[in-house]
């Protein structure tokens, strides 16, 4: 009996799934080793105070960045409700790298603290923001034509085991569902 579906293939493990856990483990071992070196040189109380200061400073940075992000969001929504066209966003006004810096400061260890302090420097954040934006633009242009609706349509057609379910959505009155680009409502996503 033929079902029309291709036979399952063995999934290949990506490089990221292989090297990211190894990198995280190496980073943790290095952080612990450096903390023990600092504790031997300066004492356990000094290390405890450094860890406490990093946690407090990281919390303050995350709180400030969150407030800034919420303020920017409310201002943007108010401008859109007033009918203004969205203005060009300012470079360096994003709070994502500030929040990441605060999180790195909160993590125990000298390497994460140095990385978190570097992310608090505005030129470093601007440089990393430009690099991230260019990388995202390259990936989006390489993805080709297709929008978010296409991604949802594809997710809707695939079962969890990877098999594609062929079919068409038909309304109660017997008319076919609107195609991509029509303004009609789409059926809800159901598992």
């Amino acid at each position: 009996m033929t079902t029309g579906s291709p036979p399952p293939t063995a999934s290949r493990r990506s490089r990221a799934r292989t090297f990211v856990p190894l990198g995280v483990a190496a980073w943790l071992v290095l952080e612990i080793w450096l903390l023990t070196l600092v504790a031997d040189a300066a004492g356990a109380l000094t290390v405890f105070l450094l860890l406490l200061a990093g946690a407090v400073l990281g919390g303050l940075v995350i709180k400030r960045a969150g407030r800034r992000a919420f303020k920017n969001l409310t201002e943007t929504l108010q401008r859109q409700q007033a009918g203004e066209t969205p203005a060009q966003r300012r470079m360096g006004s994003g709070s994502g790298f500030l929040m990441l810096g605060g999180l790195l400061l909160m993590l125990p260890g000298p390497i994460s603290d140095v990385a978190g302090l570097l992310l608090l420097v505005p030129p470093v954040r601007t440089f990393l923001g430009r690099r991230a934006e260019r990388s995202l633009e390259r990936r989006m242009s390489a993805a080709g034509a297709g929008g978010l609706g296409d991604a949802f349509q594809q997710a809707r057609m695939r079962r969890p085991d990877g098999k594609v379910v062929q079919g068409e959505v038909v309304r109660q009155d017997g008319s076919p569902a609107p195609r991509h680009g029509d303004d009609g409502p789409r059926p809800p996503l159901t598992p």
Side-chain angles (χ1 to χ4, degrees):
M1 179 163 87
T2 306
T3 61
S5 64
T9 59
S11 63
R12 211 183 107 203
R13 190 173 175 102
S14 70
R15 285 186 175 180
R17 287 183 60 191
T18 302
F19 291 118
V20 167
L22 292 174
V24 169
W27 170 66
L28 288 174
V29 168
L30 186 61
E31 289 275 23
I32 292 169
W33 179 68
L34 286 174
L35 276 176
T36 57
L37 286 179
V38 171
D40 286 342
L45 181 63
T46 305
V47 170
F48 175 73
L49 291 176
L50 285 173
L51 292 176
L52 186 65
V56 169
L57 180 62
L60 290 173
V61 168
I62 288 176
K63 184 177 180 180
R64 179 175 168 234
R67 284 185 178 169
R68 180 191 297 180
F70 187 74
K71 178 183 170 194
N72 289 342
L73 176 67
T74 55
E75 287 175 358
T76 301
L77 290 175
Q78 287 174 353
R79 276 193 239 115
Q80 285 181 349
Q81 286 178 351
E84 296 178 22
T85 58
Q88 184 74 359
R89 70 180 171 91
R90 302 173 311 205
M91 285 300 293
S93 66
S95 301
F97 283 118
L98 269 177
M99 287 186 183
L100 180 62
L103 178 67
L104 287 172
L105 282 171
M106 290 177 78
L107 293 175
I111 296 173
S112 61
D113 288 345
V114 168
L117 288 173
L118 280 175
L119 284 176
L120 297 182
V121 178
V124 173
R125 281 196 319 265
T126 303
F127 172 74
L128 290 176
R130 287 182 185 151
R131 294 280 308 253
E133 188 175 352
R134 277 188 292 227
S135 174
L136 182 64
E137 285 174 358
R138 272 196 311 269
R139 289 178 186 218
M140 293 298 286
S141 65
L148 191 56
D150 292 338
F152 281 126
Q153 184 69 21
Q154 290 173 2
R156 197 178 316 157
M157 294 186 322
R158 298 197 183 274
R159 289 185 8 194
D161 59 359
K163 294 180 182 175
V164 177
V165 178
Q166 299 295 331
E168 181 177 347
V169 177
V170 179
R171 293 185 184 173
Q172 292 288 349
D173 60 0
S175 64
R179 297 280 181 208
H180 178 67
D182 293 346
D183 292 329
R186 296 185 95 171
L189 293 175
T190 56

